[in-house]
Amino acid sequence: MLCRLGGRWLRPLPALHLRAGDPPLAPVPRSGARRPTLPVWAVAPVSAVDGNGWYEALATSSPVRVAEEVLLGVHATTGLPWWGGILLSTVALRGAVTLPLAAYQHYILAKVENLQPEIKAIAKHLNQEVAVRASQLGWSKRVARLTYLKNMRRLVSEIYVRDNCHPFKATVLVWIQIPVWIFMSVALRNFSTGATHSEAGFSVPDQLATGGILWFPDLTAPDSTWILPISVGVINLLIVEIYALQKIGMSRFQTYITYFVRAVSVLMIPIAAAMPSSLVLYWLCSSFMGLSQNLLLRSPGFRHLCRIPSTKSDSETPYKDLFVAFSSKFISRK
C-alpha cells in the first residue's frame, strides 16, 4: 500500500520480524541515561573516524600492534599499575631509542659547524675564480651566479661526504621519533576506547579504568582538572624556548617555524583535555623526557662521553648561560 509524503508516493518499509538467534535491537536511550565521559570523536570506533579508512588502517597496522604488545608486555612483566607501565615504557623507549639518536644528531651538527670556516674559505676563493672567468668570457651576472651556486653545492657536498657528516643524517631522529610517538598514541587510544583487547582474555579498558593515580584514577577518562593537558603544553613550550634561546640570528624561515611550533604546543592543551588520561600521560612523560634529553645534551661531560666534537658555540657553563638568557628574555624584560 502506498502513502503520499511531500508530493511523492512512497512504499512503506516492511515490518521487522526477529528470528531466534538474531541479536537484540539496541535499546532507545532515555533522557536520564548516562552520557559517555569522552567526546564522540574521541571514542568513535576506528572505522568511523574517517570515511576513507586511513585511521582504521593505522589503528590496525602492524607497528601499532607492536606498540600494543610492548605496553601489554611491560604491564604483565613488571606487575606495575597501568600508569606505572606507561611511564616505564616511555622512559625505556626514550632512553634506548631517541637518546642515542639525539646524541648522533648533535654529533653530526657539531661536525657540520666545525666545517663552516673551511666552507667559507672555499666560497670566497670560488667567488673570486668565477668573477675572473666571468670577466674573461663575458658572462652575465645571472650565468656567473648560477655557475657559482652549482660549483659551490658540489664542493660542499664533497666536504660532507669526506667527513661523513651530511646534514640530512641529523634528521634521522625526526623520522624515528615521530612515528614511534604516533604508534604509541594510537595504541593507547585503542586500549582506552576498547578498540582492541589482549589475547589473555582480560579487558584492558576495565584495567585502565582503575589503573590511574592521584587526581586521574580512571585512565580511560579525560583529566577534568586539566592538570595533565596544561603540563603537556607548558613542557612543550619550554622545549621550544630552549631551542630558540640557543639559536642566535635565526633566519626568517626558522622564526616562522618557531612560532608555528609554539602555536601547536598551545593547541595541544584543549586537544589533550578531550583525550583519555592514559594518552595524555604518555604525552606528558614523552615531553618531559624530551626536555630532560635536551638539557642533558648540553652538558659538556655528557657530550664528551658521547664523543661529540667540541665547537666554538659550546659553553663550559651551559645551564648558567641558559638561565641568564631565559631570565633576560622573560623575567627581567620590562
Side-chain angles (χ1 to χ4, degrees):
M1 181 177 181
L2 300 179
C3 60
R4 187 177 181 85
L5 178 62
R8 298 179 60 185
W9 290 98
L10 302 176
R11 186 181 301 276
L13 295 175
L16 294 177
H17 299 284
L18 296 180
R19 297 174 298 178
D22 287 344
L25 295 177
V28 178
R30 299 178 180 177
S31 59
R34 183 183 178 184
R35 295 182 179 179
T37 307
L38 294 172
V40 175
W41 59 269
V43 298
V46 293
S47 59
V49 173
D50 188 3
N52 296 328
W54 67 267
Y55 186 86
E56 181 180 4
L58 173 63
T60 58
S61 63
S62 296
V64 173
R65 295 304 183 196
V66 171
E68 292 174 355
E69 293 299 326
V70 169
L71 291 167
L72 290 172
V74 171
H75 175 69
T77 302
T78 63
L80 292 171
W82 271 103
W83 68 266
I86 293 172
L87 294 182
L88 180 60
S89 301
T90 308
V91 172
L93 284 174
R94 278 285 192 170
V97 179
T98 60
L99 180 58
L101 290 176
Y104 179 71
Q105 180 188 56
H106 281 250
Y107 172 81
I108 295 295
L109 295 177
K111 294 185 71 174
V112 171
E113 181 179 345
N114 290 335
L115 288 175
Q116 294 310 304
E118 180 181 355
I119 292 176
K120 289 181 179 179
I122 291 176
K124 182 179 179 180
H125 180 70
L126 179 63
N127 190 35
Q128 293 175 350
E129 286 191 355
V130 170
V132 172
R133 296 290 294 176
S135 177
Q136 293 176 348
L137 301 177
W139 290 346
S140 63
K141 290 184 178 180
R142 180 177 179 275
V143 172
R145 180 166 181 77
L146 291 176
T147 302
Y148 167 80
L149 292 176
K150 179 181 178 180
N151 285 276
M152 191 63 197
R153 281 194 296 266
R154 176 180 57 82
L155 293 173
V156 170
S157 179
E158 290 176 355
I159 292 175
Y160 288 152
V161 171
R162 181 197 68 192
D163 286 45
N164 194 23
C165 62
H166 197 283
F168 183 77
K169 293 183 177 181
T171 65
V172 174
L173 173 63
V174 177
W175 299 115
I176 299 296
Q177 180 173 322
I178 293 180
V180 169
W181 185 87
I182 293 175
F183 297 147
M184 291 291 290
S185 298
V186 175
L188 285 169
R189 183 188 179 278
N190 287 347
F191 284 163
S192 301
T193 59
T196 186
H197 57 81
S198 68
E199 297 179 357
F202 59 84
S203 175
V204 177
D206 291 343
Q207 289 193 349
L208 287 174
T210 58
I213 193 176
L214 299 176
W215 68 90
F216 53 99
D218 185 357
L219 292 177
T220 64
D223 181 11
S224 59
T225 66
W226 282 55
I227 295 177
L228 292 178
I230 292 176
S231 300
V232 171
V234 170
I235 293 179
N236 286 336
L237 283 174
L238 281 175
I239 295 174
V240 176
E241 296 308 323
I242 289 176
Y243 172 81
L245 288 175
Q246 69 183 4
K247 294 293 183 181
I248 301 177
M250 289 194 300
S251 65
R252 181 176 298 180
F253 177 76
Q254 290 176 324
T255 302
Y256 289 156
I257 291 297
T258 302
Y259 280 112
F260 173 76
V261 178
R262 284 173 180 157
V264 171
S265 300
V266 175
L267 183 62
M268 283 294 292
I269 296 177
I271 293 177
M275 290 294 174
S277 295
S278 60
L279 187 57
V280 185
L281 180 63
Y282 166 69
W283 290 353
L284 176 61
C285 185
S286 179
S287 297
F288 181 79
M289 288 297 296
L291 176 62
S292 304
Q293 175 180 291
N294 289 340
L295 294 175
L296 180 62
L297 285 168
R298 283 173 165 265
S299 169
F302 187 78
R303 293 176 67 89
H304 178 73
L305 180 65
C306 297
R307 298 183 179 181
I308 299 175
S310 300
T311 63
K312 289 184 178 181
S313 62
D314 288 347
S315 172
E316 294 295 329
T317 57
Y319 303 117
K320 180 181 178 180
D321 298 342
L322 180 61
F323 178 77
V324 170
F326 190 87
S327 300
S328 62
K329 182 176 181 179
F330 298 103
I331 300 178
S332 302
R333 184 174 59 180
K334 297 182 180 179

